[in-house]
Amino acid sequence: MYMENPAQFLLWYFNRFVKYRNSKPNKVHYYLKDKNLITQNIDGLDAKAGNKNYISIHGNLHKVTKFHEQGSTVSLIDAPWQTIENEYIEKSNENKLKKLLLNTFKISTKSQKPELMISLKPFVLLFDEYYTNTYRINEAEIMMQKAKKFIFLGTSFNVNITSIALNYALKNNAYIDIVDPNPIDLRIPNVSYYKMSALAYINKNS
């Protein structure tokens, strides 16, 4: 969608995620601030809570990159959301917002398509992309290789990173806690299931 209809993609992304960028961390984020953490969340709340070394494996809505071939090394750039909001005066004019988004993300006015190493792309792992070192996958795997205990908070195990983590946990013969109000039964040994929220689990183990 980003490549074929960037106006609609950026509008959807803006409406879906950007409004939450000023949200505040909760008790769970503060509990995790000194933990080795790999998160699928892109909200940046773990950084706000003080975690200096966490890995946001699916990206961060506060950053963008230049549109690039997968596997290429690119820098992270601060996302221009505040600039867009400052210029988006007519809050109900969707067409003006689309034009503003296209202009800010440097989408070609001629082709109406993103251009490699010119256009900007939200720093978020899209469905047909794979983990690269821009998303710190090597660091994540090193972290998992060393872990003696894995805690999975609120995951369906339908995302690739959780499968990778589970494989490392089994290889390490590590302790595994699965925390979810409706946890998935993995039908494997050495797993402790906690049918509760992350907050209840933290209160129980603090």
Side-chain angles (χ1 to χ4, degrees), residues 18-197:
V18 176
K19 65 179 70 174
Y20 301 112
R21 75 185 189 283
N22 295 321
S23 298
K24 304 297 182 185
N26 60 31
K27 186 176 179 180
V28 177
H29 298 107
Y30 286 111
Y31 171 82
L32 294 170
K33 73 177 183 178
D34 59 352
K35 307 295 189 295
N36 291 325
L37 174 65
I38 301 168
T39 180
Q40 300 171 51
N41 295 335
I42 66 170
D43 51 34
L45 291 175
D46 292 289
K48 291 181 182 180
N51 195 316
K52 304 296 184 185
N53 299 310
Y54 82 104
I55 296 175
S56 184
I57 200 71
H58 286 179
N60 189 318
L61 66 82
H62 301 279
K63 300 291 182 180
V64 297
T65 67
K66 287 188 175 179
F67 177 44
H68 59 281
E69 297 281 3
Q70 290 195 71
S72 300
T73 301
V74 290
S75 299
L76 301 185
I77 306 164
D78 288 339
W81 304 126
Q82 191 59 52
T83 299
I84 292 168
E85 284 202 336
N86 290 344
E87 294 184 23
Y88 181 39
I89 299 170
E90 298 179 49
K91 299 299 183 185
S92 61
N93 193 325
E94 190 173 277
N95 288 330
K96 280 200 171 182
L97 177 56
K98 281 184 179 180
K99 288 179 181 178
L100 180 57
L101 287 164
L102 289 172
N103 181 59
T104 305
F105 278 77
K106 302 179 182 178
I107 306 298
S108 170
T109 55
K110 184 177 180 180
S111 67
Q112 295 292 296
K113 300 291 177 65
E115 299 174 282
L116 285 169
M117 300 309 293
I118 295 175
S119 302
L120 300 179
K121 172 187 170 291
F123 178 50
V124 57
L125 190 76
L126 301 179
F127 286 116
D128 54 352
E129 294 183 307
Y130 55 82
Y131 299 120
T132 66
N133 283 332
T134 299
Y135 294 91
R136 301 173 63 192
I137 185 59
N138 281 1
E139 293 176 66
E141 292 202 81
I142 290 170
M143 186 185 291
M144 290 184 281
Q145 287 167 4
K146 296 177 179 178
K148 302 299 182 185
K149 181 173 182 177
F150 288 70
I151 302 173
F152 294 91
L153 296 175
T155 182
S156 64
F157 290 91
N158 288 327
V159 179
N160 195 24
I161 192 64
T162 53
S163 298
I164 294 171
L166 186 59
N167 285 335
Y168 275 115
L170 295 174
K171 188 182 297 184
N172 297 356
N173 197 28
Y175 295 101
I176 303 171
D177 285 0
I178 296 178
V179 182
D180 194 283
N182 295 292
I184 301 295
D185 185 355
L186 298 178
R187 302 184 183 280
I188 57 177
N190 302 324
V191 175
S192 297
Y193 294 92
Y194 295 85
K195 192 174 182 178
M196 59 182 65
S197 68

